[in-house]
Amino acid sequence: MRIATYNINGVKARIETVLAWLDDSAPDVALLQEIKSVDEAFPRAPFEERGYNVETHGQKGFNGVAILSKRPLEDVTRGLPGDAGDEQARWIEATVMGARAVRICGLYLPNGNPAPGPKYDYKLAWMARLEARAKALLESEEPVVMAGDYNVIPQDEDAARPEAWASDALALPRTRAAFRRIVNLGYTEAFRARVQGPGHYSFWDYQAGAWSRNDGIRIDHLLLSPQAADLMTECRIEAEQRGREKPSDHVPVWVTLDA
């Protein structure tokens, strides 16, 4: 089972880019972020024509997450637990049925800038809720994959120019500590379990020739429960997708599980 995460930066603006990627890479499950569409306006048909079941948690104009799955989906839930008043569409989860059922969580973690300030406070509070949900998911003792745009640069080697991000909400010490607390519950950060060292990025700004200079950061992650990590056979960043016509500023990252 190939599970991909991809911040598409607007489904209507980049639908042809996303469809071409699906045709080329054919993931079994695709977790999309920043669909920027309400549920009823999401263009389901071209995805369904490619054999995908579609579940969305949308919001007009910004945010929004979706699950595309070629396998049946069960027990779909929307919204990260812990704050009934949170109206931002940033979390969706479902069980993907296959040779082994896998609980899939798609997330779009808040950016948090400017920091300090209310947006950063919201980011940290959201991460605390994520930690609580991650802990609860581990108690199921089932394969769990939490994947998406975390808006976290875990360590300096995950940025081409770490000094440029030192005061950014994505790399502040409290952000990194919150991310480590989640991983240290017992999760495996899939990409770093397979690939070490600098130079591996999943986001390049549209400005100042960042892509051509490989001035990127790695902020799209897949965290695996021990049961899912035992099934992992491969993990890869599809950096070449940034070279497509009308690309997102992110590229897909995927993991393959023997499930």
Side-chain angles (χ1 to χ4, degrees), residues 16 36 69 75 84 93 124 138 143 178 181 190 217 219 240:
E16 295 304 325
K36 300 181 181 179
S69 176
D75 190 21
E93 62 178 271
L124 293 177
L138 285 178
R181 283 195 299 272
I217 55 177
I219 57 176
E240 65 273 14

Side-chain angles (χ1 to χ4, degrees), residues 151-200:
N151 270 315
V152 173
I153 303 170
Q155 49 197 357
D156 282 355
E157 70 177 3
D158 295 311
R161 294 182 301 117
E163 69 281 0
W165 297 90
S167 61
D168 192 280
L170 278 64
L172 287 175
R174 293 178 71 187
T175 302
R176 289 178 168 180
F179 183 77
R180 285 195 301 271
R181 283 195 299 272
I182 295 167
V183 174
N184 290 343
L185 291 171
Y187 284 87
T188 294
E189 207 260 87
F191 184 77
R192 283 303 182 200
R194 292 282 168 172
V195 182
Q196 299 298 316
H200 307 284

Side-chain angles (χ1 to χ4, degrees), residues 52-72:
Y52 287 99
N53 299 296
V54 179
E55 296 289 347
T56 63
H57 180 36
Q59 186 174 349
K60 186 175 182 179
F62 60 103
N63 297 334
V65 288
I67 300 177
L68 313 178
S69 176
K70 289 187 174 181
R71 304 188 184 190

Side-chain angles (χ1 to χ4, degrees), residues 76-97:
V76 180
T77 61
R78 296 167 174 83
L80 182 64
D83 183 357
D86 186 0
E87 297 181 350
Q88 296 195 27
R90 295 181 175 274
W91 179 271
I92 188 168
E93 62 178 271
T95 299
V96 179
M97 306 307 295

Side-chain angles (χ1 to χ4, degrees), residues 12-253:
K12 294 177 182 176
R14 262 164 277 280
I15 188 166
E16 295 304 325
T17 301
V18 177
L19 293 175
W21 166 67
L22 290 173
D23 291 341
D24 290 345
S25 294
D28 298 290
V29 180
L31 303 170
L32 308 181
Q33 302 91 48
E34 280 202 274
I35 62 174
K36 300 181 181 179
S37 170
V38 295
D39 295 338
E40 55 271 25
F42 187 86
R44 304 171 62 93
F47 300 105
E48 293 173 340
E49 289 168 1
R50 286 165 170 78
Y52 287 99
N53 299 296
V54 179
E55 296 289 347
T56 63
H57 180 36
Q59 186 174 349
K60 186 175 182 179
F62 60 103
N63 297 334
V65 288
I67 300 177
L68 313 178
S69 176
K70 289 187 174 181
R71 304 188 184 190
L73 293 172
E74 295 185 359
D75 190 21
V76 180
T77 61
R78 296 167 174 83
L80 182 64
D83 183 357
D86 186 0
E87 297 181 350
Q88 296 195 27
R90 295 181 175 274
W91 179 271
I92 188 168
E93 62 178 271
T95 299
V96 179
M97 306 307 295
R100 182 77 183 271
V102 179
R103 190 67 178 171
I104 303 292
C105 308
L107 65 96
Y108 176 42
L109 203 148
N111 177 283
N113 284 301
K119 291 185 177 181
Y120 191 57
D121 294 341
Y122 174 67
K123 181 188 186 88
L124 293 177
W126 205 96
M127 295 186 79
R129 290 161 54 201
L130 175 58
E131 180 181 355
R133 183 58 185 153
K135 184 177 181 180
L137 287 164
L138 285 178
E139 294 172 358
S140 71
E141 297 187 352
E142 294 295 325
V144 174
V145 177
M146 298 193 306
D149 177 359
Y150 278 74
N151 270 315
V152 173
I153 303 170
Q155 49 197 357
D156 282 355
E157 70 177 3
D158 295 311
R161 294 182 301 117
E163 69 281 0
W165 297 90
S167 61
D168 192 280
L170 278 64
L172 287 175
R174 293 178 71 187
T175 302
R176 289 178 168 180
F179 183 77
R180 285 195 301 271
R181 283 195 299 272
I182 295 167
V183 174
N184 290 343
L185 291 171
Y187 284 87
T188 294
E189 207 260 87
F191 184 77
R192 283 303 182 200
R194 292 282 168 172
V195 182
Q196 299 298 316
H200 307 284
Y201 312 123
S202 63
F203 170 93
W204 297 260
D205 194 275
Y206 288 124
Q207 306 300 318
W211 164 244
S212 62
R213 294 185 293 110
N214 198 28
D215 183 10
I217 55 177
R218 193 177 69 91
I219 57 176
D220 301 270
H221 312 301
L222 300 102
L223 300 188
L224 313 183
S225 71
Q227 296 78 11
D230 286 345
L231 301 173
M232 178 171 60
T233 60
E234 190 177 6
C235 185
R236 181 172 179 267
I237 297 174
E238 286 192 85
E240 65 273 14
Q241 299 299 327
R242 187 61 169 77
R244 285 191 180 274
E245 185 178 353
K246 295 189 69 175
S248 172
D249 43 8
H250 294 249
V251 296
V253 185

